[in-house]
Amino acid sequence: GESVGLHLPTLSVQEGDNSIINCAYSNSASDYFIWYKQESGKGPQFIIDIRSNMDKRQGQRVTVLLNKTVKHLSLQIAATQPGDSAVYFCAEAGNMLTFGGGTRLMVKP
Amino acid sequence: DTAVSQTPKYLVTQMGNDKSIKCEQNLGHDTMYWYKQDSKKFLKIMFSYNNKELIINETVPNRFSPKSPDKAHLNLHINSLELGDSAVYFCASSQDGVNQPQHFGDGTRLSIL
């Protein structure tokens, strides 16, 4: 099987609870931010994005919050399900897309 | 239909060899990318390419080179493979440039013996 990112921070939540995954970004000039979900053996999958002229954006069961003052991004997942178990990455767009280190979300049934 | 497809999915080879990974996208996107993901899951951009411009991450060794026969394909050639090249390599594409969602392939796991 695929090697496990043993040094990834892990968030463990109960099924049905809400999850919040946080991310700090580095470049104050970045104006586009994305959250990706990566399941085992798969490539990163787009979840939601936000541009710097917004501070909140909602999708289906997901919300992204952007705080430009402290360069912080968060992903909120409502009513977390077992299928949400994956590694989540934030990414910021400068002249290239720069990924954060990832957070592993584990959902307990 | 798979939007971004890479071949092979697994590649096992010896140090010093030259190998290629192929990538095709059927989304009609203008920009394609190659990323490297290490054993700690850290994803790092290697190249960004459209028909106008190749942007190279300056930390990528020149043993790595992208080749684009047409807009839908961006292959990755690697010369003189080293142990440290072992990783999962992802191809991605976006409509036009980095300020739009990128769609990723499922990766090629490269193992150097």
mmCIF file of all heavy atoms in Angstrom, chain B residues 21-44:
data_model
loop_
_atom_site.group_PDB
_atom_site.id
_atom_site.type_symbol
_atom_site.label_atom_id
_atom_site.label_comp_id
_atom_site.label_asym_id
_atom_site.label_seq_id
_atom_site.Cartn_x
_atom_site.Cartn_y
_atom_site.Cartn_z
ATOM 1 N N ILE B 21 7.454 9.722 -17.691
ATOM 2 C CA ILE B 21 6.084 9.567 -17.219
ATOM 3 C C ILE B 21 5.207 10.400 -18.151
ATOM 4 O O ILE B 21 5.535 11.553 -18.444
ATOM 5 C CB ILE B 21 5.907 10.068 -15.767
ATOM 6 C CG1 ILE B 21 6.915 9.385 -14.843
ATOM 7 C CG2 ILE B 21 4.486 9.805 -15.291
ATOM 8 C CD1 ILE B 21 6.938 9.976 -13.435
ATOM 9 N N LYS B 22 4.095 9.795 -18.584
ATOM 10 C CA LYS B 22 3.222 10.495 -19.520
ATOM 11 C C LYS B 22 2.005 11.060 -18.809
ATOM 12 O O LYS B 22 1.509 10.485 -17.845
ATOM 13 C CB LYS B 22 2.792 9.543 -20.634
ATOM 14 C CG LYS B 22 3.934 9.074 -21.513
ATOM 15 C CD LYS B 22 3.438 8.238 -22.659
ATOM 16 C CE LYS B 22 4.592 7.848 -23.577
ATOM 17 N NZ LYS B 22 4.141 7.046 -24.740
ATOM 18 N N CYS B 23 1.516 12.176 -19.323
ATOM 19 C CA CYS B 23 0.313 12.789 -18.774
ATOM 20 C C CYS B 23 -0.531 13.351 -19.905
ATOM 21 O O CYS B 23 -0.015 14.019 -20.807
ATOM 22 C CB CYS B 23 0.661 13.903 -17.798
ATOM 23 S SG CYS B 23 -0.794 14.733 -17.119
ATOM 24 N N GLU B 24 -1.823 13.087 -19.799
ATOM 25 C CA GLU B 24 -2.769 13.593 -20.786
ATOM 26 C C GLU B 24 -3.976 14.155 -20.063
ATOM 27 O O GLU B 24 -4.445 13.583 -19.079
ATOM 28 C CB GLU B 24 -3.217 12.470 -21.721
ATOM 29 C CG GLU B 24 -4.282 12.879 -22.711
ATOM 30 C CD GLU B 24 -4.748 11.729 -23.600
ATOM 31 O OE1 GLU B 24 -4.309 10.587 -23.380
ATOM 32 O OE2 GLU B 24 -5.548 11.982 -24.520
ATOM 33 N N GLN B 25 -4.489 15.287 -20.543
ATOM 34 C CA GLN B 25 -5.729 15.832 -19.993
ATOM 35 C C GLN B 25 -6.723 16.055 -21.131
ATOM 36 O O GLN B 25 -6.351 16.520 -22.210
ATOM 37 C CB GLN B 25 -5.461 17.123 -19.196
ATOM 38 C CG GLN B 25 -4.719 18.228 -19.926
ATOM 39 C CD GLN B 25 -5.596 19.274 -20.567
ATOM 40 O OE1 GLN B 25 -6.811 19.259 -20.421
ATOM 41 N NE2 GLN B 25 -4.971 20.199 -21.288
ATOM 42 N N ASN B 26 -7.982 15.696 -20.842
ATOM 43 C CA ASN B 26 -9.035 15.845 -21.853
ATOM 44 C C ASN B 26 -10.023 16.935 -21.482
ATOM 45 O O ASN B 26 -11.183 16.908 -21.889
ATOM 46 C CB ASN B 26 -9.749 14.500 -22.073
ATOM 47 C CG ASN B 26 -10.468 14.000 -20.828
ATOM 48 O OD1 ASN B 26 -10.531 14.694 -19.809
ATOM 49 N ND2 ASN B 26 -11.004 12.800 -20.898
ATOM 50 N N LEU B 27 -9.540 17.896 -20.678
ATOM 51 C CA LEU B 27 -10.400 18.981 -20.205
ATOM 52 C C LEU B 27 -10.315 20.224 -21.084
ATOM 53 O O LEU B 27 -11.026 21.197 -20.831
ATOM 54 C CB LEU B 27 -10.012 19.340 -18.765
ATOM 55 C CG LEU B 27 -10.208 18.215 -17.744
ATOM 56 C CD1 LEU B 27 -9.499 18.546 -16.444
ATOM 57 C CD2 LEU B 27 -11.684 17.969 -17.509
ATOM 58 N N GLY B 28 -9.432 20.211 -22.045
ATOM 59 C CA GLY B 28 -9.253 21.394 -22.877
ATOM 60 C C GLY B 28 -8.528 22.528 -22.162
ATOM 61 O O GLY B 28 -8.626 23.684 -22.572
ATOM 62 N N HIS B 29 -7.831 22.196 -21.100
ATOM 63 C CA HIS B 29 -7.120 23.215 -20.336
ATOM 64 C C HIS B 29 -5.862 23.697 -21.065
ATOM 65 O O HIS B 29 -5.264 22.961 -21.859
ATOM 66 C CB HIS B 29 -6.730 22.654 -18.963
ATOM 67 C CG HIS B 29 -7.889 22.518 -18.033
ATOM 68 N ND1 HIS B 29 -7.810 21.839 -16.838
ATOM 69 C CD2 HIS B 29 -9.160 22.990 -18.108
ATOM 70 C CE1 HIS B 29 -8.982 21.905 -16.220
ATOM 71 N NE2 HIS B 29 -9.823 22.584 -16.978
ATOM 72 N N ASP B 30 -5.471 24.930 -20.718
ATOM 73 C CA ASP B 30 -4.305 25.524 -21.371
ATOM 74 C C ASP B 30 -3.009 25.327 -20.588
ATOM 75 O O ASP B 30 -1.929 25.473 -21.151
ATOM 76 C CB ASP B 30 -4.525 27.026 -21.560
ATOM 77 C CG ASP B 30 -5.522 27.307 -22.669
ATOM 78 O OD1 ASP B 30 -5.658 26.463 -23.578
ATOM 79 O OD2 ASP B 30 -6.168 28.377 -22.640
ATOM 80 N N THR B 31 -3.110 25.067 -19.291
ATOM 81 C CA THR B 31 -1.917 25.002 -18.461
ATOM 82 C C THR B 31 -1.813 23.636 -17.792
ATOM 83 O O THR B 31 -2.812 23.110 -17.292
ATOM 84 C CB THR B 31 -1.943 26.104 -17.378
ATOM 85 O OG1 THR B 31 -2.178 27.370 -17.998
ATOM 86 C CG2 THR B 31 -0.610 26.168 -16.640
ATOM 87 N N MET B 32 -0.615 23.091 -17.792
ATOM 88 C CA MET B 32 -0.365 21.802 -17.147
ATOM 89 C C MET B 32 0.807 21.918 -16.190
ATOM 90 O O MET B 32 1.646 22.832 -16.317
ATOM 91 C CB MET B 32 -0.119 20.711 -18.192
ATOM 92 C CG MET B 32 -1.350 20.467 -19.075
ATOM 93 S SD MET B 32 -1.152 19.128 -20.258
ATOM 94 C CE MET B 32 -1.208 17.687 -19.177
ATOM 95 N N TYR B 33 0.863 20.988 -15.237
ATOM 96 C CA TYR B 33 1.835 21.073 -14.148
ATOM 97 C C TYR B 33 2.364 19.685 -13.807
ATOM 98 O O TYR B 33 1.687 18.682 -14.019
ATOM 99 C CB TYR B 33 1.177 21.636 -12.881
ATOM 100 C CG TYR B 33 0.351 22.880 -13.064
ATOM 101 C CD1 TYR B 33 -0.971 22.803 -13.498
ATOM 102 C CD2 TYR B 33 0.884 24.133 -12.795
ATOM 103 C CE1 TYR B 33 -1.742 23.932 -13.661
ATOM 104 C CE2 TYR B 33 0.118 25.283 -12.951
ATOM 105 C CZ TYR B 33 -1.197 25.176 -13.385
ATOM 106 O OH TYR B 33 -1.956 26.311 -13.543
ATOM 107 N N TRP B 34 3.538 19.684 -13.212
ATOM 108 C CA TRP B 34 4.052 18.486 -12.557
ATOM 109 C C TRP B 34 4.410 18.820 -11.112
ATOM 110 O O TRP B 34 5.010 19.864 -10.836
ATOM 111 C CB TRP B 34 5.299 17.936 -13.261
ATOM 112 C CG TRP B 34 4.955 17.081 -14.440
ATOM 113 C CD1 TRP B 34 5.037 17.411 -15.758
ATOM 114 C CD2 TRP B 34 4.462 15.737 -14.397
ATOM 115 N NE1 TRP B 34 4.613 16.370 -16.529
ATOM 116 C CE2 TRP B 34 4.259 15.327 -15.734
ATOM 117 C CE3 TRP B 34 4.174 14.843 -13.372
ATOM 118 C CZ2 TRP B 34 3.785 14.059 -16.054
ATOM 119 C CZ3 TRP B 34 3.703 13.587 -13.694
ATOM 120 C CH2 TRP B 34 3.513 13.201 -15.026
ATOM 121 N N TYR B 35 3.999 17.896 -10.219
ATOM 122 C CA TYR B 35 4.281 18.024 -8.792
ATOM 123 C C TYR B 35 5.004 16.769 -8.317
ATOM 124 O O TYR B 35 4.813 15.679 -8.861
ATOM 125 C CB TYR B 35 2.992 18.150 -7.980
ATOM 126 C CG TYR B 35 2.269 19.455 -8.140
ATOM 127 C CD1 TYR B 35 1.402 19.673 -9.201
ATOM 128 C CD2 TYR B 35 2.441 20.480 -7.212
ATOM 129 C CE1 TYR B 35 0.726 20.877 -9.347
ATOM 130 C CE2 TYR B 35 1.763 21.690 -7.343
ATOM 131 C CZ TYR B 35 0.903 21.869 -8.406
ATOM 132 O OH TYR B 35 0.247 23.064 -8.532
ATOM 133 N N LYS B 36 5.764 16.931 -7.236
ATOM 134 C CA LYS B 36 6.401 15.798 -6.568
ATOM 135 C C LYS B 36 5.864 15.737 -5.147
ATOM 136 O O LYS B 36 5.823 16.756 -4.450
ATOM 137 C CB LYS B 36 7.927 15.979 -6.551
ATOM 138 C CG LYS B 36 8.684 14.867 -5.836
ATOM 139 C CD LYS B 36 10.190 15.133 -5.860
ATOM 140 C CE LYS B 36 10.961 14.025 -5.160
ATOM 141 N NZ LYS B 36 12.435 14.280 -5.164
ATOM 142 N N GLN B 37 5.447 14.541 -4.711
ATOM 143 C CA GLN B 37 4.986 14.353 -3.340
ATOM 144 C C GLN B 37 5.896 13.353 -2.645
ATOM 145 O O GLN B 37 6.026 12.213 -3.084
ATOM 146 C CB GLN B 37 3.536 13.865 -3.292
ATOM 147 C CG GLN B 37 2.974 13.816 -1.869
ATOM 148 C CD GLN B 37 1.485 13.518 -1.841
ATOM 149 O OE1 GLN B 37 1.001 12.609 -2.514
ATOM 150 N NE2 GLN B 37 0.745 14.295 -1.053
ATOM 151 N N ASP B 38 6.518 13.787 -1.559
ATOM 152 C CA ASP B 38 7.471 12.918 -0.872
ATOM 153 C C ASP B 38 6.762 12.010 0.130
ATOM 154 O O ASP B 38 5.533 12.020 0.247
ATOM 155 C CB ASP B 38 8.574 13.750 -0.204
ATOM 156 C CG ASP B 38 8.044 14.679 0.885
ATOM 157 O OD1 ASP B 38 6.943 14.427 1.415
ATOM 158 O OD2 ASP B 38 8.743 15.662 1.195
ATOM 159 N N SER B 39 7.553 11.246 0.856
ATOM 160 C CA SER B 39 6.990 10.241 1.771
ATOM 161 C C SER B 39 6.238 10.874 2.941
ATOM 162 O O SER B 39 5.451 10.201 3.605
ATOM 163 C CB SER B 39 8.093 9.327 2.292
ATOM 164 O OG SER B 39 9.067 10.088 2.977
ATOM 165 N N LYS B 40 6.472 12.147 3.191
ATOM 166 C CA LYS B 40 5.761 12.840 4.261
ATOM 167 C C LYS B 40 4.534 13.579 3.731
ATOM 168 O O LYS B 40 3.964 14.426 4.412
ATOM 169 C CB LYS B 40 6.695 13.823 4.974
ATOM 170 C CG LYS B 40 7.849 13.128 5.680
ATOM 171 C CD LYS B 40 8.770 14.115 6.368
ATOM 172 C CE LYS B 40 9.921 13.381 7.038
ATOM 173 N NZ LYS B 40 10.867 14.308 7.688
ATOM 174 N N LYS B 41 4.173 13.282 2.479
ATOM 175 C CA LYS B 41 2.983 13.852 1.847
ATOM 176 C C LYS B 41 3.158 15.311 1.423
ATOM 177 O O LYS B 41 2.183 15.944 1.037
ATOM 178 C CB LYS B 41 1.756 13.751 2.774
ATOM 179 C CG LYS B 41 1.267 12.338 2.989
ATOM 180 C CD LYS B 41 0.576 11.829 1.748
ATOM 181 C CE LYS B 41 -0.186 10.560 2.033
ATOM 182 N NZ LYS B 41 -0.913 10.086 0.854
ATOM 183 N N PHE B 42 4.369 15.827 1.515
ATOM 184 C CA PHE B 42 4.568 17.208 1.110
ATOM 185 C C PHE B 42 4.553 17.319 -0.406
ATOM 186 O O PHE B 42 5.308 16.637 -1.094
ATOM 187 C CB PHE B 42 5.889 17.735 1.670
ATOM 188 C CG PHE B 42 6.105 19.188 1.434
ATOM 189 C CD1 PHE B 42 5.295 20.136 2.032
ATOM 190 C CD2 PHE B 42 7.108 19.626 0.583
ATOM 191 C CE1 PHE B 42 5.477 21.483 1.796
ATOM 192 C CE2 PHE B 42 7.304 20.970 0.346
ATOM 193 C CZ PHE B 42 6.483 21.899 0.948
ATOM 194 N N LEU B 43 3.686 18.198 -0.926
ATOM 195 C CA LEU B 43 3.506 18.400 -2.361
ATOM 196 C C LEU B 43 4.276 19.633 -2.811
ATOM 197 O O LEU B 43 4.090 20.718 -2.268
ATOM 198 C CB LEU B 43 2.034 18.632 -2.681
ATOM 199 C CG LEU B 43 1.211 17.472 -3.158
ATOM 200 C CD1 LEU B 43 -0.255 17.827 -3.111
ATOM 201 C CD2 LEU B 43 1.599 17.062 -4.567
ATOM 202 N N LYS B 44 5.088 19.466 -3.847
ATOM 203 C CA LYS B 44 5.918 20.571 -4.304
ATOM 204 C C LYS B 44 5.809 20.722 -5.813
ATOM 205 O O LYS B 44 5.947 19.749 -6.551
ATOM 206 C CB LYS B 44 7.357 20.309 -3.903
ATOM 207 C CG LYS B 44 8.333 21.427 -4.179
ATOM 208 C CD LYS B 44 9.702 21.030 -3.639
ATOM 209 C CE LYS B 44 10.731 22.094 -3.926
ATOM 210 N NZ LYS B 44 12.069 21.690 -3.435
#
